Amino acid sequence: MKESWSAFDTFEHHFRPLVVIELAKDTKEETKEWLTQRIMDKKKNGEDSHNFLTMAESQYIIKHELENLRAKDERMIPGYPQAKLYPGKSIMRRLMTSGILLQIFPLHDTEELKKLRYTWYGQVKISYQPLDQIRCYFGEMIALYFGFLEYFTFALVPMALIGIPYYVFAWEDYDKYVMFASFNLLWSTVILEVWKRCCAIMTYRWGTLLMKQQFEEPRPGFHGVLGINPVTGKEEPVYSSIKRQIRIYLVSLPFVCLCLYFSLYVMMIYFELETWALDFHEENESYFSKLMLFLPSIIYAIVIEMMNRVYRYASTFSPLSLLFNNTIYIFSLQFNFLNCFASLFYIAFVLFDMKLLRQSLATLLITSQILNQFVEALLPYWLQKRHNKKVKKRVYSIKVDTDLSLFEQVNLEKEMGTYLGTFDDYLELFLQFGYVSLFSCVYPLAAVFAVLNNITEMYSDALKICRVFKRPFSQPTANIGVWQLAFETMSIISVVTNCALIGLSPQVNALFPDSKTDLILIVVLVEHILLALKFVMAFVIPDKPRDIQIKLARLEFESLEALKQQVRATHLGK
């Protein structure tokens, strides 16, 4: 503790701490000196440019440099011979797995955070979110998530406005049924294409539109022998692609299949509960028995949420944790999609029970939204407030002759939970998009509940990231990445499901009383026409607005001209 206070005593008034590196209490002095020297050696190769960088950008640079501290000639961590190193191994990761390094996290700027909180969620009003301020404080990745959440909420409004009168006045009207499903299909395509344009405008303004992911540094958990990247010419660890494929197909894929088998097993138990509830209602015919009809769906919705969270937790300790982020995302999306929607597909296309489908969809959607709001924001916020009171009492009980504000801030923030990224937040929107687009013609109020949920989600997510978790490191990004593909895939699946649901409706079946083959052929034909229309619309709507395209072309031209002048000057110098 004395060492900690002496460090705080040496802080200058103008010093603004950016990142905290917390080591274990019993860390040896030679280890501290070695780590400090390695960090200082890394710093000598760069310049102090904090004057024109945002705090989030400065913290990102520090994180980047720390993560790319890799062993060269060292064979072990000084003072810890059991902590082996080899060329190319991430030093920070080895320190963490050896229990020497506890955590690295960026500190909040308390004054800037107060201003952001007031502008963002401190006052209840209908307005756009301060995305530029969010980007300056938290970085592009989080700002893009909140931008997409805001955009998606506005995009759901037309579906909600159409869904309310349709639900009230035209539940079984065939003409409006088809019209609503057709609008749903066009809507899901248009909003995703328009989002690309909105995303391009934002990331161009932030300077990250032209980021090339293939030139990023290897992630800290990536290990392998040091080699030379043939594109960048930089020294970095390389790993055999054959070994990677073997790990995916022989280890990770069986793990996912096992999880899916368990998910399907739980789904069959759910259908047994539905049968029991229906029999109970037929025997008793009471108000209580009517309520019992919703019980299996509520229980199943809770179990689905639990299974999704257990799967995400297990995947961090399973073979999936060894894969690239995009591969983990794809496996997780497959599991969550089947876990959430398998029962609905079974009810629609095996049991052909539209009443049960409507009931299950409504129960799953509403229950999952309530659970997510409670588990992700309200409960952690309440627990964090209780914990902060205990930490403050402990800090103020220490009698020292110095300013407690920074010490208190570090102690409060180091014990906060870690924000694990936007995966869970995007996943929630992805599943919501599925509930709205796949089966909304059966339950048109899905979009209404989605809008109401997303309005509260903006406030709860803002509260969560500002008050509940440690400040996450900034992460530059050009778009929402693999989630764009995920949403587009979901919109394609929605074409198939909505066409099939229309084909199953009694009104359509009545048009083909003698030949079901003709009905199937017509449904398939309509489906292919709609899919073709989707792809035509995706091609016709440019991903970038015209003015952004012109600016990018001008930038490329100026870069080429500058390169020509540099080459010309080099030749003249010779």
Side-chain angles (χ1 to χ4, degrees):
M1 183 60 73
K2 288 181 180 178
E3 290 176 2
S4 300
W5 276 112
S6 65
F8 280 107
D9 289 339
T10 59
F11 286 158
E12 298 177 20
H13 255 330
H14 65 272
F15 176 74
R16 185 179 66 165
L18 296 175
V19 174
V20 174
I21 300 176
E22 183 184 5
L23 301 177
K25 290 182 180 179
D26 56 351
T27 303
K28 297 179 180 178
E29 284 300 322
E30 60 181 308
T31 308
K32 296 178 184 176
E33 292 173 5
W34 171 77
L35 179 59
T36 303
Q37 187 60 45
R38 286 303 307 264
I39 293 173
M40 296 305 293
D41 290 343
K42 191 83 172 177
K43 184 181 177 184
K44 289 176 185 176
N45 298 325
E47 296 181 358
D48 186 4
S49 54
H50 68 274
N51 289 329
F52 63 89
L53 295 174
T54 66
M55 190 176 182
E57 289 169 337
S58 300
Q59 290 169 335
Y60 170 75
I61 291 170
I62 293 172
K63 171 178 175 282
H64 180 271
E65 294 300 308
L66 290 175
E67 286 183 344
N68 285 283
L69 280 175
R70 295 188 179 270
K72 293 187 177 179
D73 301 325
E74 302 97 332
R75 297 298 175 186
M76 65 176 187
I77 301 290
Y80 296 87
Q82 74 278 8
K84 302 295 184 184
L85 290 174
Y86 56 86
K89 176 65 180 178
S90 169
I91 291 175
M92 288 298 167
R93 186 169 179 83
R94 174 57 72 208
L95 287 169
M96 194 163 283
T97 55
S98 301
I100 303 167
L101 173 64
L102 300 183
Q103 60 177 331
I104 302 173
F105 64 93
L107 277 179
H108 276 292
D109 183 327
T110 52
E111 292 303 316
E112 288 298 320
L113 183 60
K114 283 180 183 177
K115 294 176 186 175
L116 177 61
R117 276 161 40 190
Y118 179 77
T119 309
W120 195 358
Y121 67 89
Q123 37 192 341
V124 179
K125 60 179 182 178
I126 299 175
S127 64
Y128 293 107
Q129 298 176 102
L131 295 178
D132 289 334
Q133 289 177 252
I134 297 170
R135 176 254 170 182
C136 286
Y137 193 84
F138 288 111
E140 288 80 11
M141 182 183 72
I142 289 174
L144 265 186
Y145 161 69
F146 281 100
F148 182 75
L149 172 61
E150 180 179 277
Y151 170 82
F152 185 51
T153 305
F154 280 112
L156 282 166
V157 171
M159 286 288 289
L161 293 176
I162 294 174
I164 293 172
Y166 174 79
Y167 179 83
V168 174
F169 302 114
W171 184 257
E172 299 295 344
D173 190 314
Y174 163 68
D175 296 326
K176 294 184 177 64
Y177 186 92
V178 175
M179 186 171 61
F180 187 81
S182 302
F183 176 79
N184 182 354
L185 299 176
L186 296 176
W187 167 85
S188 63
T189 301
V190 170
I191 65 165
L192 293 176
E193 292 303 315
V194 174
W195 162 250
K196 291 181 185 177
R197 297 168 62 87
C198 295
C199 182
I201 292 170
M202 283 190 291
T203 52
Y204 178 81
R205 187 170 70 245
W206 297 339
T208 58
L209 178 58
L210 296 180
M211 279 189 64
K212 298 293 184 183
Q213 193 172 8
Q214 60 265 37
F215 299 139
E216 290 180 359
E217 298 279 357
R219 60 192 173 92
F222 184 75
H223 63 274
V225 297
L226 282 179
I228 302 298
N229 187 314
V231 178
T232 64
K234 291 183 178 180
E235 191 178 47
E236 61 184 44
V238 294
Y239 191 78
S240 168
S241 60
I242 296 175
K243 289 182 181 179
R244 188 182 302 119
Q245 295 300 319
I246 290 174
R247 179 169 284 166
I248 290 174
Y249 292 110
L250 297 186
V251 182
S252 300
L253 193 58
F255 170 77
V256 176
C257 291
L258 179 65
C259 294
L260 290 176
Y261 172 78
F262 183 71
S263 173
L264 294 174
Y265 181 76
V266 171
M267 182 186 77
M268 300 315 296
I269 295 175
Y270 158 65
F271 286 125
E272 289 181 8
L273 287 175
E274 283 286 359
T275 304
W276 170 82
L278 186 60
D279 293 341
F280 181 81
H281 175 63
E282 289 176 352
E283 290 175 7
N284 294 274
E285 289 288 342
S286 64
Y287 180 75
F288 176 72
S289 65
K290 286 182 180 180
L291 292 178
M292 289 295 291
L293 289 175
F294 292 94
L295 185 62
S297 296
I298 294 173
I299 294 173
Y300 185 52
I302 295 172
V303 171
I304 282 177
E305 287 300 316
M306 292 172 59
M307 288 171 62
N308 286 344
R309 294 178 187 280
V310 168
Y311 175 82
R312 290 198 288 279
Y313 178 79
S315 65
T316 61
F317 298 99
S318 74
L320 282 182
S321 62
L322 303 174
L323 302 178
F324 290 106
N325 283 343
N326 280 354
T327 310
I328 296 174
Y329 287 173
I330 291 169
F331 278 130
S332 297
L333 283 174
Q334 290 172 349
F335 174 80
N336 281 274
F337 178 85
L338 288 173
N339 194 33
C340 293
F341 297 115
S343 61
L344 299 178
F345 279 101
Y346 187 85
I347 294 169
F349 304 118
V350 177
L351 300 181
F352 304 110
D353 190 339
M354 294 301 118
K355 184 177 180 181
L356 179 59
L357 176 63
R358 191 178 307 148
Q359 173 190 310
S360 298
L361 174 59
T363 309
L364 287 174
L365 175 63
I366 297 169
T367 307
S368 65
Q369 289 178 345
I370 294 172
L371 280 174
N372 282 324
Q373 293 284 357
F374 179 74
V375 174
E376 291 183 4
L378 299 179
L379 179 61
Y381 177 67
W382 178 73
L383 293 174
Q384 189 62 45
K385 284 195 72 173
R386 289 189 62 191
H387 181 71
N388 285 353
K389 290 179 181 178
K390 294 179 182 178
V391 173
K392 286 181 179 180
K393 286 181 181 178
R394 189 169 71 241
V395 169
Y396 285 112
S397 67
I398 302 172
K399 303 297 182 183
V400 287
D401 219 7
T402 187
D403 181 15
L404 281 172
S405 59
L406 180 58
F407 184 69
E408 179 187 343
Q409 182 187 355
V410 171
N411 274 273
L412 284 173
E413 292 185 23
K414 78 174 186 178
E415 297 189 33
M416 287 181 170
T418 301
Y419 183 69
L420 300 177
T422 55
F423 178 82
D424 286 347
D425 300 314
Y426 276 117
L427 179 63
E428 190 177 340
L429 294 180
F430 172 75
L431 296 176
Q432 185 187 90
F433 181 67
Y435 286 125
V436 172
S437 62
L438 293 177
F439 303 102
S440 65
C441 59
V442 175
Y443 187 65
L445 289 184
V448 177
F449 286 110
V451 170
L452 295 175
N453 174 77
N454 288 358
I455 291 172
T456 58
E457 187 83 11
M458 289 183 199
Y459 287 95
S460 62
D461 282 353
L463 175 73
K464 173 178 70 176
I465 202 167
C466 290
R467 300 291 297 273
V468 175
F469 293 114
K470 295 184 188 75
R471 182 179 186 175
F473 278 103
S474 165
Q475 186 172 334
T477 185
N479 47 54
I480 62 174
V482 71
W483 292 104
Q484 182 74 38
L485 177 62
F487 276 83
E488 289 173 355
T489 304
M490 182 72 83
S491 70
I492 292 172
I493 297 173
S494 72
V495 173
V496 180
T497 56
N498 279 277
C499 288
L501 286 172
I502 292 172
L504 290 174
S505 65
Q507 296 91 341
V508 175
N509 275 266
L511 298 175
F512 301 90
D514 301 323
S515 176
K516 297 301 178 186
T517 305
D518 292 343
L519 171 60
I520 294 172
L521 290 174
I522 289 176
V523 169
V524 171
L525 176 63
V526 171
E527 172 210 313
H528 280 62
I529 291 172
L530 289 172
L531 284 174
L533 181 61
K534 278 178 68 69
F535 290 120
V536 168
M537 290 174 65
F539 178 77
V540 168
I541 301 175
D543 292 349
K544 301 179 185 69
R546 178 65 178 165
D547 61 320
I548 300 292
Q549 293 179 25
I550 293 171
K551 290 175 182 177
L552 292 177
R554 186 182 300 127
L555 180 63
E556 185 178 0
F557 171 75
E558 290 172 354
S559 300
L560 289 173
E561 288 298 307
L563 181 61
K564 288 178 184 177
Q565 291 178 10
Q566 184 179 1
V567 172
R568 192 178 300 119
T570 304
H571 285 306
L572 290 174
K574 292 180 180 179

